[in-house]
Amino acid sequence: MLEIKNLHAGIEDKEILKGINLTINAGEIHAIMGPNGAGKSTLSAVIAGKDEYEVTKGDISLDGEDLLELDPAERAHKGVFLSFQYPVEIPGVSVTNFIKTSINETRKANGKEDMPAKEMLQKIREKSELLEIDRKFLSRSLNEGFSGGEKKRNEIFQMAMLEPKLAILDETDSGLDIDALRIVANGVNKLRSDDKAVLIITHYQRLLEYIKPDFVHVLYDGKIVKTGDASLALELEEKGYDWIKEEINA
Amino acid sequence: MELKEKLLSSYVAFENNVNINSDVHEIRTKALKDFEELGFPTKKLEAWKYTSLNSILKEDYSIFPNKEEAIEFAEVKKYFIHDIDSYKIVFIDGKYSSFLSDTTHDVIDVCLLSSAFTKSKHKAVIENYFNKVAKQDNMTALNTAFASEGAYIYIPKNVEVDKPIQIINFATGSDSATLLQPRNLIVVGENAHVQIIERHQSLSENAILTNVVTEIFAEKRSNVDYYKIQNDHSAASIVDNTFVAQEGDTICSVHTFSFGGKIVRNNLNFFQNGEHVDSILKGVTILDDKQHVDHHTLVHHIAPNCESHQDYKGIYDGRSTGVFNGKIIVNKEAQKTNAYQQNNNVLVSDKATVNAKPQLEIFADDVKCSHGCTIGQLDEQALFYMQQRGIPKKEARALLMYAFSNTVLESVRIPEVKSRINKLIAQKLNVNLGFDL
Ligand SMILES: Nc1ncnc2c1ncn2[C@@H]1O[C@H](COP(=O)(O)OP(=O)(O)OP(=O)(O)O)[C@@H](O)[C@H]1O
Ligand SMILES: [Mg+2]
């Protein structure tokens, strides 16, 4: 589904991603781990189309379609969703109005009519219950004054509403308490299906206990330096990154 | 001939058409002398530092357009808030259009100043209120000198007016350039409530200069809710001089929505004469091209225990320019004043400019006064976030701008006005969002 080939990207003169190769098939869950500053968020932003970053080499395609040709909204319309490491506050736009606009713009781009108001309400109710989000919350300005954990939960609520083909979760687990982690993991697992894929960026193996990854990759200094199965996450949690750095330098 | 000379030399002709043996005319001739002395404002005046009228004063205005112009309602329906029942006072090129209007003398008076000047029934009101709060600076003096027609609204005490009143001035542009000087007088009796919508609309590409004066008197415990919709042609300019006198326990609000016109100057003045008064001044300005809007507000806290709330939002694109000059005066006697002023601006283009200047003159010692002014850009991170959620860039920008203006729209109390403003904003930003904020 997602195919990244020899991706180089950076900002001004600084190269951050230095040749990433990654293939994610429909139905799979991948996790990316790696030390601070390795380029994990940059990779997710480049997939989502943030134009701050310049792609100097390589390709990204989604179901064979060149993503680099599309702007961020068009990528979203194709089913790319990014749960932000730091969700942005948007004062004056309520959660409900935002998600309605988001859903209907996506439908419009895909040649569909607006979602009927009743169906929208129903869906909002269902998904907010799934993520145990209080009604009052939905009429507040998006992310404004939300706690760290509330912001993350709200990201997953939006994901549940949009049902993206490819969900990228950038440190969605950071800042969540133990109960919230379980709730969010449940939300992600509900989305799992044969035609969807999830890419989880995390520092901790805890979330991966709830959402079992098929592959775990280590991103270090702009490259994927190691790939394994779920047990790799455990090993990293235990031993840290030094042994990997040694392997590379050897 | 310069416009000033032209105006002065045409005064004899003007006097042929009005009653010159009246108190009102004494006021007019005095104002004419003031104008003769003051002339048009220039940039040398501190209050006009950022707005030059030069480019519009050089037109050869016809000053008493006297062709009778008829307009079909269907043609101009869109300029009315037409989805509500309302009283209407409509003028075409300064002349009353009975056909487009819907006036009344039933309990309240919603009619014409020209008839209030002549009918004995209104004599006392004219004597007590006409020109009593307007301060005679350049443009106001000019208007007063020629004051002859406009809206006259009188609400007796304890009356809650059942529907809003719309004051609409159309300019047909049948001459190549037209000067219009409407004069409105609004008196709201004790414990009365009224909602008013005012609009000036040019119907052609010809130059229009409107110099309007509106006096509003709010007697004790009354409530006035006023909306100004400014979305005029790129060849139409306006100097709006509004004066609000508030007695004790009154709440008056003026919302000004400035989306178009060539040069728009709003002189909005509030005088708090009684205690426990609340004055609300709000505005949303969205400009592009070479449009220019200058908001000059004055809140004069004369009596103690009063509040004022100012909230002006501006969004500037193209080469547009904005000015916000908010003056607050707190007299020595006006203890326990709570004056709040907020002015936030977004520059969408790097060719647009804003000049913002709060002016506080505080002579009392026990007051709360806060003011804040910001000038910034649209938040790029927020734009990316919204696009990531499938909202295209243009719509994302519009949504951010809507959100930015939302604190002003929130307090609009006529739902149809609010949705019209939302539509105008969407139109202005060239987007179609499926909801009102
Ligand atoms: N906009 C930017 N301007 C300058 N440097 C940047 C920018 N974005 C990322 N970088 C740099 O690129 C490197 C990778 O950053 P990135 O945020 O992708 O790391 P990360 O792997 O997500 O780290 P963390 O685990 O701390 O979230 C860092 O050195 C960072 O400072
Ligand atoms: Mg990161």
Side-chain angles (χ1 to χ4, degrees):
Chain A
M1 171 190 286
L2 180 75
E3 193 138 6
I4 302 179
K5 281 191 211 142
N6 192 28
L7 181 70
H8 290 255
I11 209 153
E12 280 151 25
D13 290 340
K14 184 179 166 177
E15 185 164 61
I16 302 172
L17 303 179
K18 303 172 181 172
I20 303 256
N21 291 294
L22 177 67
T23 301
I24 298 179
N25 296 309
E28 292 176 352
I29 294 194
H30 289 234
I32 293 185
M33 302 179 82
N36 293 130
K40 302 181 299 295
S41 293
T42 303
L43 175 62
S44 61
V46 169
I47 298 171
K50 192 168 192 181
D51 60 10
E52 203 174 307
Y53 299 101
E54 197 195 342
V55 175
T56 49
K57 221 193 261 177
D59 300 304
I60 307 176
S61 65
L62 186 74
D63 289 334
E65 188 171 3
D66 186 1
L67 274 193
L68 296 176
E69 287 293 309
L70 306 178
D71 71 28
E74 289 166 336
R75 296 183 201 199
H77 299 154
K78 302 279 176 211
V80 175
F81 179 92
L82 168 61
S83 168
F84 283 60
Q85 183 173 359
Y86 305 107
V88 184
E89 301 193 359
I90 306 188
V93 183
S94 69
V95 175
T96 308
N97 273 337
F98 185 74
I99 196 64
K100 278 185 194 167
T101 310
S102 172
I103 284 186
N104 284 334
E105 287 293 343
T106 301
R107 289 173 70 106
K108 191 160 80 186
N110 290 311
K112 290 193 220 157
E113 296 278 293
D114 279 3
M115 184 181 280
K118 207 171 148 203
E119 191 184 332
M120 182 77 79
L121 274 178
Q122 174 86 34
K123 189 161 188 179
I124 289 176
R125 188 174 307 134
E126 181 195 322
K127 301 301 181 189
S128 57
E129 273 165 21
L130 172 69
L131 288 149
E132 299 182 26
I133 289 175
D134 189 7
R135 272 300 182 75
K136 275 185 267 161
F137 213 78
L138 300 175
S139 55
R140 279 174 61 180
S141 280
L142 187 66
N143 291 326
E144 193 184 31
F146 288 16
S147 75
E150 287 167 344
K151 283 182 183 166
K152 297 300 177 68
R153 201 188 293 205
N154 187 254
E155 292 288 276
I156 299 306
F157 164 69
Q158 292 182 45
M159 183 198 77
M161 288 294 295
L162 287 161
E163 301 175 279
K165 197 190 275 180
L166 172 69
I168 304 167
L169 313 183
D170 190 359
E171 293 200 29
T172 301
D173 51 344
S174 315
L176 290 180
D177 66 40
I178 297 157
D179 291 334
L181 189 69
R182 190 180 32 77
I183 294 165
V184 160
N186 183 35
V188 176
N189 284 328
K190 277 262 157 60
L191 183 77
R192 263 187 112 146
S193 75
D194 290 346
D195 58 352
K196 292 185 169 33
V198 183
L199 176 60
I200 297 169
I201 294 169
T202 182
H203 286 296
Y204 309 103
Q205 95 94 21
R206 176 153 220 140
L207 179 66
L208 305 180
E209 276 171 20
Y210 292 107
I211 312 170
K212 201 121 189 74
D214 301 299
F215 299 94
V216 175
H217 311 275
V218 178
L219 185 70
Y220 174 69
D221 192 22
K223 282 192 281 256
I224 289 178
V225 294
K226 199 169 183 67
T227 294
D229 61 14
S231 67
L232 178 58
L234 270 172
E235 198 177 352
L236 290 169
E237 179 114 332
E238 219 170 89
K239 301 203 281 189
Y241 292 106
D242 283 351
W243 63 280
I244 293 197
K245 291 179 196 172
E246 276 162 30
E247 263 185 34
I248 296 163
N249 294 330
Chain B
M1 199 177 352
E2 294 238 341
L3 184 55
K4 182 181 167 186
E5 272 61 57
K6 186 169 175 177
L7 284 159
L8 294 174
S9 64
S10 67
Y11 207 67
V12 186
F14 171 74
E15 286 184 316
N16 283 336
N17 292 311
V18 295
N19 177 8
I20 56 169
N21 299 311
S22 63
D23 297 344
V24 167
H25 198 62
E26 250 174 61
I27 294 172
R28 285 190 200 119
T29 46
K30 161 122 201 354
L32 187 74
K33 283 211 188 76
D34 289 342
F35 174 70
E36 192 168 0
E37 226 165 83
L38 297 167
F40 283 103
T42 66
K43 282 189 139 186
K44 287 196 199 93
L45 291 175
E46 186 58 29
W48 290 84
K49 196 169 162 186
Y50 298 108
T51 298
S52 166
L53 297 181
N54 285 347
S55 66
I56 51 178
L57 293 180
K58 60 177 198 279
E59 299 285 345
D60 185 21
Y61 292 105
S62 75
I63 44 187
F64 313 117
N66 54 14
K67 281 174 234 158
E68 293 283 339
E69 298 287 343
I71 315 176
E72 289 297 320
F73 178 65
E75 266 175 66
V76 292
K77 184 176 170 198
K78 61 182 178 197
Y79 302 118
F80 291 82
I81 305 292
H82 52 75
D83 39 7
I84 44 169
D85 198 10
S86 67
Y87 298 106
K88 301 175 198 74
I89 317 172
V90 182
F91 301 94
I92 301 172
D93 294 335
K95 289 202 167 44
Y96 174 61
S97 163
S98 63
F99 175 65
L100 294 175
S101 297
D102 187 355
T103 59
T104 183
H105 291 290
D106 184 12
V107 185
I108 63 175
D109 290 299
V110 175
C111 59
L112 306 179
L113 187 65
S114 58
S115 71
F117 278 163
T118 53
K119 288 190 186 137
S120 60
K121 177 187 165 196
H122 307 294
K123 194 162 185 279
V125 174
I126 296 294
E127 254 174 41
N128 291 333
Y129 295 100
F130 177 72
N131 209 44
K132 289 296 186 288
V133 65
K135 69 178 167 140
Q136 301 306 310
D137 62 5
N138 320 48
M139 299 305 283
T140 305
L142 173 60
N143 176 288
T144 304
F146 289 89
S148 55
E149 190 58 293
Y152 174 81
I153 297 171
Y154 179 78
I155 316 293
K157 67 177 172 189
N158 298 328
V159 175
E160 192 160 333
V161 183
D162 56 336
K163 52 193 184 190
I165 301 168
Q166 304 195 56
I167 306 170
I168 304 194
N169 296 268
F170 291 112
T172 60
S174 58
D175 292 313
S176 66
T178 310
L179 172 68
L180 296 171
Q181 299 209 71
R183 176 75 176 216
N184 304 319
L185 178 62
I186 297 159
V187 179
V188 186
E190 285 184 21
N191 203 31
H193 289 224
V194 67
Q195 295 181 314
I196 297 169
I197 301 155
E198 178 188 352
R199 187 161 185 170
H200 300 265
Q201 187 63 47
S202 164
L203 303 173
S204 83
E205 310 273 341
N206 285 342
I208 305 293
L209 172 56
T210 300
N211 177 38
V212 54
V213 171
T214 304
E215 292 183 283
I216 302 169
F217 296 88
E219 294 299 340
K220 284 183 190 136
R221 296 184 305 284
S222 64
N223 210 318
V224 181
D225 203 11
Y226 205 104
Y227 302 94
K228 290 173 186 282
I229 302 175
Q230 303 175 330
N231 187 31
D232 217 341
H233 250 282
S234 57
S237 295
I238 184 169
V239 179
D240 179 315
N241 309 279
T242 298
F243 302 89
V244 185
Q246 289 185 258
E247 300 308 318
D249 300 294
T250 51
I251 303 172
C252 293
S253 68
V254 174
H255 288 73
T256 307
F257 298 101
S258 310
F259 304 143
K262 183 176 180 172
I263 293 176
V264 176
R265 165 71 178 230
N266 290 304
N267 297 316
L268 181 56
N269 306 277
F270 277 75
F271 302 91
Q272 300 185 330
N273 299 323
E275 291 193 47
H276 306 291
V277 158
D278 194 359
S279 305
I280 298 151
L281 299 77
K282 294 194 174 199
V284 177
T285 304
I286 304 179
L287 301 184
D288 52 27
D289 300 329
K290 285 186 175 169
Q291 295 169 335
H292 175 88
V293 171
D294 181 347
H295 293 290
H296 250 70
T297 65
L298 166 71
V299 179
H300 195 156
H301 290 270
I302 299 162
N305 297 309
C306 294
E307 297 189 12
S308 64
H309 300 266
Q310 299 188 54
D311 184 3
Y312 278 79
K313 297 278 162 76
I315 298 169
Y316 302 90
D317 203 346
R319 290 169 175 276
S320 64
T321 49
V323 182
F324 177 79
N325 187 309
K327 188 168 178 174
I328 297 171
I329 306 176
V330 182
N331 279 14
K332 205 166 107 208
E333 299 72 28
Q335 298 293 359
K336 307 268 182 216
T337 288
N338 192 349
Y340 168 92
Q341 183 186 89
Q342 190 69 35
N343 171 230
N344 306 99
N345 303 289
V346 172
L347 299 178
V348 180
S349 125
D350 53 10
K351 301 252 171 22
T353 56
V354 172
N355 285 295
K357 183 169 146 202
Q359 257 178 297
L360 310 179
E361 295 177 10
I362 300 171
F363 302 102
D365 46 30
D366 186 12
V367 300
K368 270 194 221 146
C369 227
S370 72
H371 66 95
C373 165
T374 59
I375 299 176
Q377 269 86 39
L378 282 183
D379 181 349
E380 287 293 330
Q381 302 300 329
L383 280 177
F384 175 62
Y385 183 88
M386 297 167 108
Q387 290 179 83
Q388 204 305 298
R389 297 298 139 89
I391 304 172
K393 189 159 191 177
K394 199 169 84 179
E395 280 73 14
R397 285 166 65 135
L399 193 55
L400 275 187
M401 294 187 208
Y402 262 114
F404 173 74
S405 356
N406 202 26
T407 54
V408 173
L409 295 175
E410 221 164 57
S411 56
V412 172
R413 277 204 286 264
I414 306 173
E416 292 80 4
V417 170
K418 191 171 178 169
S419 71
R420 175 62 62 88
I421 298 298
N422 273 325
K423 281 204 190 90
L424 286 174
I425 294 179
Q427 204 179 67
K428 182 89 192 172
L429 303 174
N430 196 17
V431 292
N432 183 11
L433 293 170
F435 66 91
D436 289 348
L437 282 171

